[in-house]
């Protein structure tokens, strides 16, 4: 697509100007006797898509859960723009601008697009009237719907026409778009995508990859987990390889071939 | 082919009007049928009694809808209603407490019992089915204890009796109906204008108009029929007001959103920071409160509180049946408190019509069973329609 002329530009600019936005250092996590994460270092820049690859059980999802506060790690530290931050809950993470899109999406199929986008974070009337409990303040339906439309437009998702459609009636790709829109609608700077294309067909995968590229254009730091190296090579600027809970190395996409990455994944070279 | 149809029915049920129409058609069919077979059925007097008979079931059905939305169930509603009614009766007739205060105590007791069950469900992760089943048994015992050896207490207090014997003067009934219709119309109109102004997609104009005509005809006809007998009963106004509040709560607040989210995808609700514990406890407390309301209406209507009226009878199944017939899913995440009232009217009309036609108790039970079975099957068939895509 049009990434041919955007990609090289973005790549060089991110290398030259964008400093490291987020880093995780010395992350350890044990499950019983298994080292799910063993002294992992990991870093992200804004305006850059970082691929995260590795075999099943390599620890990719565990690392994402640690960064998003969904599952605490045993030891290690996180830094945003050089400053250490504590991430002890999903709430902490989202306050620091970190959003995760789960492998299993976590959308409510019985609610419509707007309701899902704002779930747990609704826009309400009377929000400065502290006597009324928050849960009882009336919802501002129209404002939420308007912002939902805007959020999807910003991501150039045009296939969802009515914001009042229940999620259950949307395709896998459309659901993925909504999950991503939810992650990026607030002032997030870091978006973690755990296998967003795993269950999708060819054209829907393409849609989602377009979305990922758009997140780079909006200056997010993006992590993309996938087992499909074609997809990884299509959109990522750099690739981190994990193996048995360790970070094996980081590759620059343009100086690397898929074969090198494969042998790194399987043999740790 | 079958799948395709399931999907279509499922899609229809997801829309606001679509969830309303099946139960309304069922109601109209029942009315037409009995109207032909037993012309007395359609008399104003019979309609009046039909509404009053359905009031207790309707109240409980509206209440239980709240936990059904969250994918839970409350099997103890009828007995909680009985316990609360017994408390009100004992306080007001034997202990000399003034009736309004006795009623408040009953309502508080209902919320408390519900809240306790909700707490156990929330914190000890015991399925609501089991906890409320234990409640059903335990509260039957509690009710026997409160009622004493005779198993029944007569209620003659004018305040409590007045809750179901008072009717509004014709003119007031009409004025209230008119206000309701105007508010409904303005709400539709305003919503359309606001959506247009913000460039959001709107319902087709004729759909809005049909909705309005439909609503006004319904309200106006009901008022005129009731006026032709004794007038609009106070009970109906109380029930509609509470249902209006709960309808608003479930569809237009963060609290209601959270209910649907918990019923639709528990894990997702947890991840966005909704407190499942808080939701469960408060929802079961609300159901307990509604059960108490139902209990008080029952005590007022029968002028007595007896074990059999609440615990022994089919009240529980009728209430849950009414909610499900109204289109609320037993699997959680779909439903509406308004439909529960229509469901209660379906069950009430069926019972009333069969009574008039001289059917025996056995036939009535079998008919009710068949209707419930149809409703539950429809629920199960359309449940997966959306997610199967
Ligand atoms: N909650 C848990 N309890 C016990 N072990 C766990 C838990 N979560 C993950 N693990 C283990 O930790 C290791 C890393 O798992 P993780 O899910 O991070 O792998 P992954 O790289 O995401 O794999 P996949 O590509 O299959 O998604 C695995 O050995 C897994 O079995
Ligand atoms: Mg994983």
């Amino acid at each position: 697509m049009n990434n041919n002329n955007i990609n090289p530009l973005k790549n060089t600019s991110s290398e030259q100007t964008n400093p490291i936005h987020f880093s995780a250092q010395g992350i350890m996590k044990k499950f019983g006797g298994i080292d799910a994460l063993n002294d992992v270092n990991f870093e992200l820049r804004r305006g850059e898509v970082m691929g995260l690859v590795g075999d099943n059980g390599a620890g990719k999802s565990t690392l994402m859960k640690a960064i998003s506060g969904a599952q605490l790690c045993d030891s290690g530290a996180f830094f945003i723009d050089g400053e250490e931050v504590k991430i002890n809950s999903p709430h902490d993470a989202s306050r620091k601008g970190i959003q995760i899109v789960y492998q299993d999406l976590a959308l409510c199929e019985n609610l419509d697009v707007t309701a899902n986008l704002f779930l747990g974070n609704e826009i309400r009337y009377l929000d400065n009237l502290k006597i009324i409990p928050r849960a009882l303040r009336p919802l501002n339906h129209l404002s939420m719907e308007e912002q939902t439309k805007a959020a999807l437009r910003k991501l150039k998702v045009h296939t969802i026409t009515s914001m009042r459609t229940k999620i259950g009636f949307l395709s896998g790709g459309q659901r993925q778009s909504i999950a991503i829109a939810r992650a990026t609608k607030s002032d997030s700077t870091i978006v973690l995508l755990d296998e967003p294309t795993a269950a999708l067909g060819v054209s829907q995968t393409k849609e989602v990859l377009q979305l990922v590229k758009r997140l780079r254009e909006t200056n997010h730091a993006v992590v993309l987990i996938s087992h499909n190296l074609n997809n990884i090579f299509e959109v990522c600027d750099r690739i981190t390889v994990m193996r048995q809970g360790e970070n094996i190395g980081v590759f620059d996409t343009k100086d690397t071939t898929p074969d090198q990455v494969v042998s790194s994944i399987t043999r740790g070279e | 082919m079958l799948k395709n149809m399931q999907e279509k029915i499922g899609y229809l049920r997801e829309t606001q009007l679509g969830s309303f129409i099946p139960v309304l058609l069922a109601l109209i069919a029942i009315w037409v049928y009995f109207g032909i077979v037993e012309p007395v059925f359609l008399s104003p007097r019979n309609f009046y009694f039909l509404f009053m008979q359905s009031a207790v079931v309707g109240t409980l059905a509206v209440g239980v809808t709240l936990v059904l939305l969250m994918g839970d169930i409350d099997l103890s509603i009828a007995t909680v209603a009985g316990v609360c009614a017994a408390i009100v009766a004992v306080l007001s007739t034997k202990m000399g407490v003034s009736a309004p205060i006795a009623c408040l105590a009953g309502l508080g007791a209902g919320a408390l019992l519900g809240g306790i069950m909700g707490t156990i469900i929330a914190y000890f992760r015991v399925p609501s089915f089991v906890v409320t089943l234990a409640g059903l048994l335990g509260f039957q015992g509690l009710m026997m204890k409160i009622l004493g050896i005779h198993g029944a207490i007569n209620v003659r207090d004018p305040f409590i009796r007045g809750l179901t014997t008072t009717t509004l003067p014709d003119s007031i009934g009409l004025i209230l109906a008119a206000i309701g219709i105007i508010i409904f119309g303005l709400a539709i109109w305003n919503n359309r204008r606001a959506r247009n102004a913000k460039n959001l997609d709107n319902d087709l104009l004729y759909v809005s108009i049909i909705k309005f005509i439909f609503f006004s005809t319904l309200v106006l006809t009901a008022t005129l029929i009731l006026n032709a007998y004794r007038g609009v009963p106070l009970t109906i106004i109380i029930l509609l007001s509470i249902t209006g509040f709960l309808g608003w709560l479930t569809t237009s607040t963060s609290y209601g959103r959270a209910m649907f989210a918990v019923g639709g995808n528990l894990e997702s609700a947890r991840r966005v920071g909704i407190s499942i514990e808080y939701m469960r406890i408060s929802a079961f407390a609300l159901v307990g409160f509604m059960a108490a309301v139902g209990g008080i209406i029952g005590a007022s209507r029968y002028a007595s509180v007896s074990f059999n009226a609440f615990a022994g009878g089919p009240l529980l199944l009728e209430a849950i049946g009414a909610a499900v017939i109204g289109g609320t899913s037993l699997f959680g995440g779909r439903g509406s408190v308004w439909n529960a009232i229509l469901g209660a009217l379906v069950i009430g009309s069926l019972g009333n019509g069969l009574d008039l036609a001289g059917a025996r108790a056995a036939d009535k039970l079998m008919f009710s069973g068949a209707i419930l079975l149809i409703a539950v099957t429809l629920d199960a068939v359309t449940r997966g329609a959306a997610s199967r895509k």
Side-chain angles (χ1 to χ4, degrees), chain A residues 109-110 124 139 145 149 168, chain B residues 195 199 252 254 265 333 386-387:
Chain A
E109 296 189 354
N110 60 326
R124 293 172 287 241
L139 295 178
E145 203 171 322
K149 245 179 118 174
Chain B
R195 294 188 74 87
N199 216 352
S252 298
S254 298
N265 187 340
S387 52

Side-chain angles (χ1 to χ4, degrees), chain B residues 27 30-31 47 50-51 54 57-58 322 339-351:
Chain B
L27 195 58
I30 292 173
W31 285 359
F47 258 100
L50 182 62
F51 275 108
S54 308
V57 171
N339 290 18
I341 292 193
L342 288 182
L345 279 176
V346 166
I347 290 199
S349 306
L350 207 62

Side-chain angles (χ1 to χ4, degrees), chain B residues 188-349:
Chain B
I188 289 189
W189 176 248
N190 261 336
N191 192 284
R192 287 194 67 90
R193 269 203 355 207
R195 294 188 74 87
N196 275 338
K198 291 191 182 257
N199 216 352
L200 298 168
D201 60 313
N202 238 324
D203 284 341
L204 293 170
L205 183 62
Y206 82 89
V207 174
S208 298
I209 292 177
I210 288 179
K211 256 194 215 169
F212 177 72
I213 292 179
F214 204 70
F215 178 85
S216 358
T217 327
L218 208 70
V219 171
L220 215 58
T221 326
T223 313
L224 288 177
I225 292 179
L226 290 169
N227 275 354
Y229 185 55
R230 279 188 193 159
V232 179
L234 178 65
T235 319
I236 304 281
I237 302 292
I238 295 175
L239 181 53
L240 290 183
S241 314
I242 297 180
T243 308
F245 171 76
L246 291 177
W248 172 80
L249 185 75
T250 48
T251 58
S252 298
T253 65
S254 298
Y255 183 79
R257 276 287 155 79
M259 284 182 143
F260 278 90
V262 169
N265 187 340
L266 190 71
E267 196 44 40
S268 155
R270 204 192 303 280
R271 283 182 196 163
V272 297
I274 292 169
S275 161
I276 315 290
E277 288 80 18
Y278 171 78
M279 291 306 297
R280 289 233 164 95
I281 296 171
S282 56
F284 274 95
L286 275 176
V287 180
F289 177 87
M290 286 305 286
V293 173
I296 294 171
I297 293 178
S300 162
R301 219 182 111 63
Y302 311 132
S304 79
V305 178
S306 71
F307 185 78
N308 286 339
F310 291 99
L315 187 56
L316 163 69
L317 292 179
E318 286 189 358
I320 292 178
V324 175
I325 288 171
T328 294
S329 174
L330 283 173
F331 305 101
R334 187 184 68 208
S336 137
V337 288
W338 287 110
N339 290 18
I341 292 193
L342 288 182
L345 279 176
V346 166
I347 290 199
S349 306

Side-chain angles (χ1 to χ4, degrees), chain B residues 60 63 74 77 80-81 84 106-115 117 282-294:
Chain B
L60 299 190
D74 189 341
I77 31 170
V80 169
C84 298
L107 295 173
L112 184 70
L113 293 180
M117 288 189 292
S282 56
F284 274 95
L286 275 176
V287 180
F289 177 87
M290 286 305 286
V293 173

Side-chain angles (χ1 to χ4, degrees), chain A residues 61 103 194-195:
Chain A
S61 296
Q103 217 160 346
D194 194 347
E195 302 197 35

